[in-house]
Amino acid sequence: MAQLQLSIQLIDALHGALQQHDPQASDGGVAAQYLAATLGFTVATLENGGDAAQREELLEELAAFAQHVMRDVLQQQRQQQPQAQEAYGVWRPGDP
């Protein structure tokens, strides 16, 4: 696969284009459905996509890639969240 340059600006632009087409795409789930449908349409209409079995295999690879990206983004989000510090000991009124 080609090296991609994924950015927040690109994602925002894609969401913006979807919302211009259908205001319901402001919902992330609806936007994801449009993107999934676009993926299926694109694979189906590739000029040199091969036979149906090859297209199915490509679609499976792309689905696995999408899952990898999702897991990577979720991991990055978890790492960026502030970590709660554990409390210990006993505090009593009047303690410094």
Side-chain angles (χ1 to χ4, degrees), residues 47-66:
E47 283 189 30
N48 297 318
D51 63 16
Q54 290 170 316
R55 291 172 196 266
E56 288 283 341
E57 183 179 336
L58 175 58
L59 191 59
E60 288 175 14
E61 289 176 17
L62 292 169
F65 178 63

Side-chain angles (χ1 to χ4, degrees), residues 6-7 25 35 45 53-55 59 70 74 77 94:
L6 193 62
S7 68
L35 293 170
T45 58
Q54 290 170 316
R55 291 172 196 266
L59 191 59
M70 179 197 69
L74 290 173
Q77 288 174 341

Side-chain angles (χ1 to χ4, degrees), residues 38-87:
T38 301
L39 176 61
F41 183 89
T42 301
V43 170
T45 58
L46 287 172
E47 283 189 30
N48 297 318
D51 63 16
Q54 290 170 316
R55 291 172 196 266
E56 288 283 341
E57 183 179 336
L58 175 58
L59 191 59
E60 288 175 14
E61 289 176 17
L62 292 169
F65 178 63
Q67 190 173 50
H68 171 77
V69 171
M70 179 197 69
R71 288 177 179 161
D72 189 45
V73 170
L74 290 173
Q75 181 180 6
Q76 289 177 16
Q77 288 174 341
R78 281 193 300 270
Q79 290 173 349
Q80 292 174 355
Q81 291 176 350
Q83 301 297 318
Q85 295 182 357
E86 291 188 30

